[in-house]
Amino acid sequence: MSEEWSDTEISTLLNDNGMRATPQRMAICKELLLKKCHRTPNELHEELCQRFPTISPNTVYLTLSQLESSGLIRRFYVDGQAIYDSNTATHDHIYCRVCKLLLDVGTENSIHTPKCTEEWSIEWGTRVWSGVCPKCH
Amino acid sequence: MSEEWSDTEISTLLNDNGMRATPQRMAICKELLLKKCHRTPNELHEELCQRFPTISPNTVYLTLSQLESSGLIRRFYVDGQAIYDSNTATHDHIYCRVCKLLLDVGTENSIHTPKCTEEWSIEWGTRVWSGVCPKCH
DNA sequence: AACTAATTAGTAATAACTCCTAAATAAGAG
DNA sequence: CTCTTATTTAGGAGTTATTACTAATTAGTT
């Protein structure tokens, strides 16, 4: 994936995955795909409200769900909260249970896929390490 | 941890962790700790209703939360659903997104703790691999 | 430019979980 | 063994994240 996305590139990406390039959807993609980042649906909705004051949470949920079905983003949960991640490569996370900070983290040998599961088709995996960050102890 | 737990052992375990050994709580511990297993709060509640027809979901939620605070069980989330795990050792899981099957799984080198995080105090970590199980494809 | 299926915003509904309170009870003190 | 008290319980109310539904709008094709 390139670091920079033009409007036409995002538009094409959406169309290639069977989605129409509406302004709302373009904005969601820019917010998520341009930066390799984590977002909750609610965080995204609040950010988008600045440019689209009437955008509904529903639209955000729906778009995120479609992007995930297309494999363009991943979803996982931390403390019961859905997190969408534009970094689709298998990687680990580290989570501070005090301040809720969530970061990508490198782990040695972390991308080994499971043993004893030849017959499964594994699509992806993520790990969350929980603890307390430097600032919180 | 031993494989078998007597009533007195569970009772002592609870008291050692500042919890009273009520019949409801004993039953929850037996259900979770006796078998190394995964349970959702709702699954547990339904199981306990057979012996305690009036037990409230609230009691189950509260007890699970206390057991987790004591480190006797772990909580993580799959597809937005809380899962309590009586296997507190760091290990991985494999999840079928079709039939919702969730299994423990061995992964090579999977328990390496994260690099570059000297200042964090890591308490535990779990990984979930997502895909489709043999029966579902 | 017109057409049509996809998309949107808004509202209602659901599910999981938490908060609150009065009654019941486990466990220590006497 | 009984008394006492802080913990625990059940039940109901409240909250939050998410999904379902619907009518109006719109992107992208013809």
Side-chain angles (χ1 to χ4, degrees):
Chain A
M1 271 187 199
S2 68
E3 287 300 316
E4 290 293 321
W5 297 77
S6 67
D7 279 13
T8 24
E9 277 173 333
I10 292 182
S11 175
T12 304
L13 185 73
L14 287 171
N15 288 331
D16 286 352
N17 284 280
M19 303 169 73
R20 290 186 176 173
T22 67
Q24 293 92 331
R25 214 169 257 169
M26 297 279 287
I28 291 173
C29 286
K30 281 185 187 177
E31 199 59 43
L32 257 179
L33 297 177
L34 275 175
K35 327 158 187 171
K36 283 269 179 294
C37 64
H38 311 121
R39 284 284 187 285
T40 68
N42 191 48
E43 282 168 356
L44 263 175
H45 179 248
E46 283 178 6
E47 287 165 2
L48 289 160
C49 275
Q50 296 173 10
R51 246 204 292 172
F52 300 90
T54 63
I55 195 170
S56 75
N58 199 354
T59 300
V60 178
Y61 278 110
L62 197 59
T63 299
L64 289 172
S65 167
Q66 291 169 313
L67 291 172
E68 202 226 346
S69 295
S70 300
L72 297 172
I73 59 177
R74 300 293 189 190
R75 179 179 63 167
F76 61 98
Y77 288 83
V78 177
D79 261 359
Q81 173 61 66
I83 311 279
Y84 283 92
D85 191 342
S86 54
N87 179 1
T88 54
T90 294
H91 65 286
D92 290 15
H93 298 94
I94 193 167
Y95 174 70
C96 174
R97 63 171 164 76
V98 179
C99 70
K100 316 297 180 193
L101 177 65
L102 181 71
L103 297 175
D104 283 0
V105 74
T107 306
E108 266 183 288
N109 302 311
S110 72
I111 61 165
H112 284 273
T113 44
K115 292 182 297 188
C116 326
T117 53
E118 333 280 292
E119 297 155 52
W120 285 65
S121 77
I122 303 293
E123 288 155 1
W124 76 295
T126 192
R127 177 159 46 192
V128 180
W129 293 99
S130 292
V132 183
C133 78
K135 283 189 182 170
C136 291
H137 69 231
Chain B
M1 272 188 200
S2 66
E3 286 299 318
E4 290 293 319
W5 298 78
S6 68
D7 278 13
T8 24
E9 277 173 333
I10 292 184
S11 175
T12 303
L13 186 74
L14 287 171
N15 288 330
D16 286 352
N17 285 280
M19 303 169 72
R20 290 188 176 172
T22 66
Q24 293 91 331
R25 216 168 255 170
M26 297 279 287
I28 291 172
C29 286
K30 280 185 188 176
E31 198 59 41
L32 257 178
L33 297 177
L34 276 175
K35 328 160 186 171
K36 284 269 179 295
C37 64
H38 312 119
R39 284 285 186 284
T40 67
N42 191 48
E43 282 169 357
L44 264 175
H45 179 249
E46 284 178 4
E47 286 166 3
L48 289 160
C49 275
Q50 295 174 10
R51 246 203 292 173
F52 301 91
T54 64
I55 195 171
S56 74
N58 198 357
T59 300
V60 178
Y61 279 112
L62 197 59
T63 299
L64 289 172
S65 167
Q66 291 169 313
L67 291 172
E68 202 226 346
S69 295
S70 300
L72 297 172
I73 58 177
R74 300 293 189 190
R75 178 179 62 166
F76 61 98
Y77 288 83
V78 177
D79 262 0
Q81 173 61 66
I83 310 281
Y84 283 91
D85 192 342
S86 55
N87 179 2
T88 54
T90 293
H91 64 286
D92 291 14
H93 298 95
I94 193 167
Y95 174 70
C96 175
R97 64 171 165 76
V98 179
C99 70
K100 316 297 182 193
L101 177 66
L102 180 71
L103 297 175
D104 283 0
V105 73
T107 306
E108 266 183 289
N109 301 310
S110 73
I111 61 165
H112 285 274
T113 45
K115 292 183 296 189
C116 327
T117 54
E118 334 280 291
E119 298 155 52
W120 285 65
S121 76
I122 304 294
E123 288 155 1
W124 77 295
T126 191
R127 177 158 47 192
V128 180
W129 294 100
S130 291
V132 183
C133 78
K135 284 189 182 171
C136 291
H137 68 231

